[in-house]
Amino acid sequence: MVGGPQIEECSVKTKIASHQAPALIGLKLKSKRLPLWLAKFLRSGLNRLLGYSGFNELWYRLPEHEDDAFSKTLLDGLDINLDVSGEPLSSYPLTGPHMFVANHPHGLVDGFALDHVTTSQRPETQIMSTYVLGEIPQLRQTLILVDPLKAKKRHAMNVRGWRQSYRLLAGGGALVVFPAGAVSRFSWARRQVADPKWNPHIAAIARRTGATVVPIFIHGRGGFWFQIAGVISGRLQTMTLFTELLKMKGRTLRITVGKPLVPEKWSHILGDERLVNHFRDQVEVLGQQ
């Protein structure tokens, strides 16, 4: 509504001069009808409620580290432990196109965990991620940015992201993707919490680049209110990603890695829809281990 309160999407800014207040990841509340003091009060409350302020406080408390160690440093800062089982990634080739495909039960912590796990073996690995994280300086060389909600104003960003993914794999690199493009939520069809439909573009890129596909299952699921948010609106659930990340503090994230699927094992499957569903089946069966 024209003139009413507007909540802009979260943004990330880097540290600025020490004599200035540090910029936040968070919402900017603008309104022509609200007094400035009230807008600031509401903005502060929403930033804390949605976990943005907490994430910033954590970020600025992190010890000095190399950019490629950001994910591990962040996980350590939250006392999050990783329990990785299944096929050891150390046995995988260090060259050639590899696509790590995973379910997405928790949100941000899934990406940080797989970034750490995969780059420990393939340092050049990049991860397809929400644009919200794109201005964190330590992640700029690691992320391929997309808008999972596919807003029209970010169509060009999504096209660029797919092209970057193709070039990375075609050049023999490694890519982490969450083919659902969104966090798991309650599915009325399945009567359980599950990933939304997987994007067939993932299969198309794997087919065109001849990538070896590595299925990875991340155990667990988000909290009750996180699931309620997902049932109401995918955008609302996205807004609560930082709260859910902070709730993971002190927990252990269990990850199971499957056997690599070389193209010879799946090239006979016709149609990108069928192929991406095959990849999904290979991921979900790991959840039974």
Side-chain angles (χ1 to χ4, degrees):
M1 181 179 298
V2 177
Q6 297 179 355
I7 297 179
E8 296 182 355
E9 295 170 74
C10 35
S11 61
V12 184
K13 295 184 179 179
T14 60
K15 285 186 178 180
I16 52 181
S18 59
H19 65 277
Q20 296 176 307
L24 295 176
I25 299 173
L27 298 174
K28 296 179 180 179
L29 187 64
K30 292 183 176 181
S31 175
K32 295 179 180 179
R33 296 180 177 178
L34 293 178
L36 181 60
W37 68 267
L38 181 56
K40 288 183 177 180
F41 175 78
L42 292 176
R43 181 176 65 233
S44 176
L46 286 171
N47 279 325
R48 292 214 167 270
L49 177 65
L50 297 176
Y52 302 146
S53 296
F55 179 82
N56 281 288
E57 292 167 6
L58 168 67
W59 180 25
Y60 284 106
R61 289 199 311 267
L62 294 179
E64 292 295 325
H65 58 276
E66 298 295 329
D67 286 357
D68 58 6
F70 176 76
S71 291
K72 179 62 166 60
T73 305
L74 181 71
L75 294 171
D76 288 344
L78 286 169
D79 297 320
I80 295 174
N81 298 308
L82 302 183
D83 177 10
V84 184
S85 61
E87 296 294 314
L89 288 177
S90 59
S91 66
Y92 287 12
L94 295 180
T95 59
H98 278 68
M99 179 186 287
F100 301 93
V101 298
N103 62 317
H104 204 8
H106 304 288
L108 298 177
V109 71
D110 302 333
F112 292 128
L114 293 194
D115 178 43
H116 169 59
V117 169
T118 57
T119 55
S120 64
Q121 301 301 321
R122 295 284 299 265
E124 84 286 7
T125 301
Q126 291 185 271
I127 181 168
M128 185 176 284
S129 170
T130 172
Y131 70 95
V132 174
L133 300 179
E135 293 184 38
I136 293 180
Q138 299 96 325
L139 296 178
R140 286 175 182 161
Q141 301 304 314
T142 302
L143 302 181
I144 292 177
L145 302 177
V146 294
D147 177 8
L149 298 178
K150 301 179 181 178
K152 289 184 178 180
K153 63 182 178 181
R154 297 190 184 88
H155 174 73
M157 174 190 290
N158 286 345
V159 172
R160 183 167 60 251
W162 288 112
R163 288 176 177 171
Q164 288 176 309
S165 300
Y166 172 78
R167 289 195 296 267
L168 174 66
L169 291 170
L175 175 70
V176 174
V177 293
F178 298 100
V183 184
S184 302
R185 61 195 61 166
F186 183 79
S187 167
W188 293 105
R190 292 192 171 202
R191 297 294 190 272
Q192 63 181 3
V193 175
D195 273 8
K197 180 181 177 181
W198 278 25
N199 194 327
H201 287 340
I202 299 298
I205 290 179
R207 200 188 299 274
R208 289 181 62 192
T209 60
T212 294
V213 175
V214 181
I216 298 178
F217 188 85
I218 302 172
H219 298 260
R221 66 181 186 182
F224 175 77
W225 291 111
F226 187 63
Q227 298 304 326
I228 292 297
V231 171
I232 296 173
S233 165
R235 187 174 295 277
L236 179 60
Q237 188 180 47
T238 298
M239 291 175 66
T240 62
L241 284 174
F242 288 93
T243 299
E244 198 64 20
L245 171 66
L246 298 176
K247 288 181 179 178
M248 291 293 296
K249 182 177 176 62
R251 294 172 58 181
T252 296
L253 188 65
R254 186 180 167 216
I255 298 171
T256 302
V257 181
K259 294 182 179 180
L261 307 173
V262 296
E264 290 76 16
K265 292 185 177 181
W266 48 259
S267 58
H268 63 283
I269 300 177
L270 301 179
D272 295 338
E273 190 91 33
R274 290 181 59 194
L275 182 55
V276 82
N277 287 335
H278 172 72
F279 294 156
R280 180 170 182 164
D281 290 342
Q282 299 304 305
V283 167
E284 292 183 344
V285 73
L286 297 174
Q288 303 170 15
Q289 298 183 12

